[in-house]
Amino acid sequence: MRATLASRNANKARELERLLPGWEIDALDEESYPPETGATYFDNALAKARFGRELASPSLWVLGEDSGIEVAGLGGGPGVHSSRSAAGDEVGWMVQQLEGMEGDARQARYVCELVALGPHGEEHRGTGTLEGRIARQGSGDSGFGFDPVFVPDGEERTVAELGDEWKAKHSHRANAARALLASLKASTGAGAP
């Protein structure tokens, strides 16, 4: 199964390959992606997939992905603005934003939306979340983004400390991939197009 991910992020393409068994996914190396202006993760993921659909080989499936973090003490933000909120210093930004906040204000969740567009107009989606809380300081060296400050419910360590193997089974992106595969299976009976 071959697909194109509407993203320049080759690491995200490799992560999705691990989460979608049997899929071979290449990142779409395009400079002029449209801005992420959607009100929801789905809006942004669908816009990326549609953009990729225009450029990819007509025989390939195209994936669009959008994800972010929602923090209670930030009124549910940064949400769909997560990738643009921290200017590359996600850990420092989050620690500073939550300085002096305790308890429920540190409750957070990761959200991921995956959209798959097929060669014949098929559209499938998968949504995944990971509930947790924000630590007072960063810890761990696996993962990326907010992983060093995100402690999943039921865990005492951050996602960055838990590592890639844990993340591949439990992350918001892993949950979205499972939901996408379930959608595909429901429509095709096979779990993959």
Side-chain angles (χ1 to χ4, degrees):
M1 173 65 193
R2 294 204 40 167
T4 296
L5 173 65
S7 169
R8 288 184 291 272
N9 189 333
N11 290 327
K12 194 174 282 187
R14 297 296 74 78
E15 181 180 2
L16 285 170
E17 277 185 334
R18 289 189 297 275
L19 298 174
L20 298 167
W23 290 53
E24 183 180 323
I25 302 171
D26 293 315
L28 181 64
D29 189 16
E30 175 64 36
E31 290 300 317
S32 59
Y33 276 89
E36 294 180 5
T37 58
T40 67
Y41 302 104
F42 174 71
D43 292 341
N44 288 332
L46 181 60
K48 291 175 192 178
R50 286 179 175 163
F51 175 78
R53 175 79 278 154
E54 293 175 10
L55 301 172
S57 167
S59 64
L60 298 179
W61 280 74
V62 177
L63 296 171
E65 186 271 354
D66 194 39
S67 55
I69 191 167
E70 301 172 349
V71 182
L74 302 178
V80 294
H81 306 289
S82 294
S83 67
R84 298 172 299 284
S85 61
D89 181 18
E90 291 83 359
V91 172
W93 181 85
M94 187 64 76
V95 168
Q96 190 259 338
Q97 292 295 307
L98 295 182
E99 189 173 334
M101 293 187 195
E102 298 297 329
D104 288 346
R106 291 186 168 271
Q107 292 300 309
R109 73 177 183 159
Y110 273 132
V111 180
C112 177
E113 186 74 46
L114 284 173
V115 174
L117 299 180
H120 306 292
E122 308 93 330
E123 181 180 313
H124 295 274
R125 70 188 279 193
T127 305
T129 61
L130 178 63
E131 303 288 332
R133 66 188 183 283
I134 302 299
R136 287 181 183 80
Q137 64 184 23
S139 185
D141 54 12
S142 288
F144 55 90
F146 297 101
D147 290 352
V149 291
F150 190 91
V151 180
D153 283 352
E155 299 290 345
E156 296 301 319
R157 297 180 295 161
T158 68
V159 171
E161 292 173 302
L162 291 166
D164 292 337
E165 187 174 320
W166 184 95
K167 192 173 176 178
K169 293 177 184 172
H170 305 287
S171 75
H172 56 307
R173 198 165 286 115
N175 292 331
R178 279 191 289 279
L180 177 63
L181 289 174
S183 173
L184 290 163
K185 183 177 183 180
S187 70
T188 66

